[in-house]
Amino acid sequence: MQVDGIAMVRLLGPQDRFLDTIEHEYPEVSVHVRGNDITLTGEPAQVEAVRRLIEELQLMLRGGRDLGETEISTSARMLGADSTQSPSELLGQAILTSRGKSIRPKTLGQKHYVDAIDENTITFGIGPAGTGKTYLAMAKAVQALQRKEVDRIILTRPAVEAGERLGFLPGTLTEKIDPYLRPLYDALFEMMDPELVPKLLAAGTIEVAPLAYMRGRTLNSSFVVLDEAQNTTPEQMKMFLTRLGFGSRMVITGDVTQVDLPAGASGLKLVTRVLDNLDDIHFVQLTSADVVRHSLVGRIVDAYTEYDAQKQAQRYESEQAREFAARATPRSAGPRDRLPKRRPS
C-alpha cells in the first residue's frame, strides 16, 4: 500500500517507534517500508487488520490529529474487537482546542467516560492513575462554560494528608491547602488562556476550593468536579452529592486503590453500592488499558492490582482457616457441679 500526502515520520513516529508498536500488536505480520510504500506479509487476516489500522491512522493524521503509541494500541484493540468500527471517528472529536493543542479521548474507555458525562447529571470516573479521569472532566467543565451551558466551574478536593501533617506546613491556612489544589490550577492554565484564568477566579466564575468549603451550599448552574474522591469519608460524599442544584452537573473522580484516610473508610467505595441503580447517575470504571502516560505505568498498575488480589485471597484464606479452627476446637468443659459429700452416720 502507498501513503500519499502524509509525511512518513508522522505515520511511523520518531525512530520508527510507531512502526515498532504496530509490529508489537501484530507479531505475525512483517512490515517493510521503502519511501512511501508499505509492504505487509503474513497470514491474510492479520495482514488485512494491519492494512485497516494503517488506513485509520492516516485518517487521524489527515484530520489534524497527532499520533502516539496509545492511539495506535487503542485503535488496534478496537479493530480487533469489531472490524467494522472506525477508531478515527470514535476517537477523533476534540473536546477542546487550546493554543494549538487538542484535548480528546485517547482510548475507548475514555470515550465512554466522556459520553457518560454528556448523558448524565452525575458521573463517577473510577480508575488508576494516568487514565485521564480528572483531566477529561476538567476539559468537559471548560467546554460547558465556553458553550454557556453553565455559569461557573467549581473544582474541589479533600485536603487529606498522605503521611504529612498540614499543621506543620508554613504559612496561612490558604497557603497550606494550596498544594493540594495545585494540580487543578495547572490543568486550568493548560486548557484556557493563562491571562483569563486569574480574572475568572477573581470573579468567582471559576472556584477552586477544599471539599470542606462545600458544606451548607447549593450549587446551581455549575459544573462541579470532585477530584481524589477516594479520600472522602461516607459522610463527606453524602454532603457533597446533596449540594447538587438546578442546571448543574457533577463529575466525581478517584482511585479506590489509593485511599489515604486513616481508617480507610472511603466514601467512594461505599457510594458505588449505595447509588448503583439510580437513574441519571453513571459509574465508569477505567482500567490500565486506559492509561495514557508512559507504557510502563499501565504495567505498574497491573502489577499492583495482581498483588492486591493475591493479598486479598491470602487474607480470605487466613480468615477461613481461623473460623475452621475455632469450630474444630472443642469447648472447654466448665466446672462440674459437685455434690456434697455424705457424712458417715
Side-chain angles (χ1 to χ4, degrees):
M1 60 186 302
Q2 189 170 22
V3 178
D4 295 322
I6 296 175
M8 293 301 288
V9 68
R10 295 186 65 202
L11 179 64
L12 303 180
Q15 291 81 48
D16 291 344
R17 284 206 302 267
F18 300 164
L19 178 60
D20 293 339
T21 303
I22 294 173
E23 292 178 334
H24 176 76
E25 293 291 335
Y26 299 94
E28 298 178 3
V29 177
S30 297
V31 183
H32 302 281
V33 180
R34 176 173 292 180
N36 281 30
D37 291 325
I38 299 177
T39 304
L40 308 175
T41 56
E43 196 270 326
Q46 292 290 300
V47 167
E48 176 61 19
V50 175
R51 187 190 64 79
R52 278 290 319 280
L53 173 61
I54 293 175
E55 287 180 349
E56 288 292 328
L57 297 179
Q58 291 182 73
L59 289 173
M60 292 182 188
L61 291 171
R62 290 193 176 98
R65 180 172 180 178
D66 291 328
L67 295 181
E69 295 175 28
T70 301
E71 285 84 353
I72 296 171
S73 298
T74 299
S75 299
R77 284 195 295 268
M78 291 174 64
L79 291 171
D82 183 358
S83 59
T84 63
Q85 291 189 109
S86 175
S88 60
E89 293 181 6
L90 288 174
L91 305 177
Q93 187 173 3
I95 302 171
L96 285 175
T97 301
S98 176
R99 288 178 284 175
K101 178 182 178 182
S102 296
I103 300 173
R104 51 167 54 90
K106 294 185 177 182
T107 70
L108 195 55
Q110 289 187 354
K111 173 63 175 172
H112 291 157
Y113 177 46
V114 170
D115 289 344
I117 294 173
D118 287 333
E119 296 165 4
N120 297 274
T121 299
I122 299 178
T123 304
F124 289 83
I126 303 173
T131 51
K133 306 180 297 295
T134 304
Y135 195 74
L136 290 174
M138 293 188 63
K140 293 299 293 182
V142 173
Q143 181 192 58
L145 183 66
Q146 292 178 346
R147 293 179 174 179
K148 302 187 184 303
E149 297 171 359
V150 296
D151 294 333
R152 57 182 174 164
I153 297 173
I154 298 176
L155 310 172
T156 183
R157 269 185 166 197
V160 176
E161 300 100 336
E164 303 87 3
R165 294 296 177 188
L166 279 172
F168 291 101
L169 294 175
T172 64
L173 177 61
T174 301
E175 291 170 337
K176 291 178 180 183
I177 292 173
D178 186 70
Y180 289 88
L181 306 175
R182 180 51 50 189
L184 303 180
Y185 285 110
D186 292 342
L188 273 178
F189 280 98
E190 185 174 339
M191 295 177 185
M192 304 182 74
D193 184 349
E195 295 181 358
L196 180 62
V197 173
K199 298 177 182 178
L200 295 175
L201 288 168
T205 304
I206 298 178
E207 178 182 349
V208 184
L211 179 60
Y213 289 16
M214 299 298 108
R215 188 174 296 279
R217 302 174 62 182
T218 300
L219 307 176
N220 293 315
S221 190
S222 303
F223 197 113
V224 192
V225 178
L226 170 59
D227 190 30
E228 298 290 339
Q230 75 276 6
N231 287 330
T232 61
T233 65
E235 294 77 16
Q236 286 176 321
M237 179 62 74
K238 179 182 177 182
M239 178 275 292
F240 171 76
L241 293 173
T242 53
R243 302 306 95 200
L244 180 68
F246 295 106
S248 292
R249 273 184 282 170
M250 286 182 167
V251 180
I252 297 94
T253 70
D255 179 1
V256 293
T257 67
Q258 296 192 31
V259 178
D260 298 320
L261 295 172
S266 171
L268 184 60
K269 289 183 179 179
L270 178 64
V271 77
T272 58
R273 300 194 297 270
V274 176
L275 304 182
D276 189 34
N277 296 319
L278 291 187
D279 292 335
D280 211 18
I281 297 178
H282 192 78
F283 292 87
V284 178
Q285 297 285 345
L286 299 167
T287 68
S288 60
D290 300 304
V291 172
V292 293
R293 295 179 182 172
H294 193 286
S295 59
L296 189 58
V297 175
R299 298 201 294 272
I300 291 172
V301 169
D302 286 337
Y304 270 99
T305 301
E306 183 179 354
Y307 174 79
D308 290 340
Q310 291 175 352
K311 294 293 289 184
Q312 188 173 0
Q314 291 172 0
R315 194 179 303 115
Y316 176 77
E317 291 175 358
S318 298
E319 291 174 356
Q320 291 292 100
R322 282 196 297 270
E323 291 180 7
F324 179 79
R327 289 195 300 266
T329 302
R331 295 180 179 177
S332 58
R336 296 181 179 178
D337 294 334
R338 295 182 179 178
L339 296 174
K341 293 183 179 179
R342 184 178 296 177
R343 295 179 180 179
S345 55

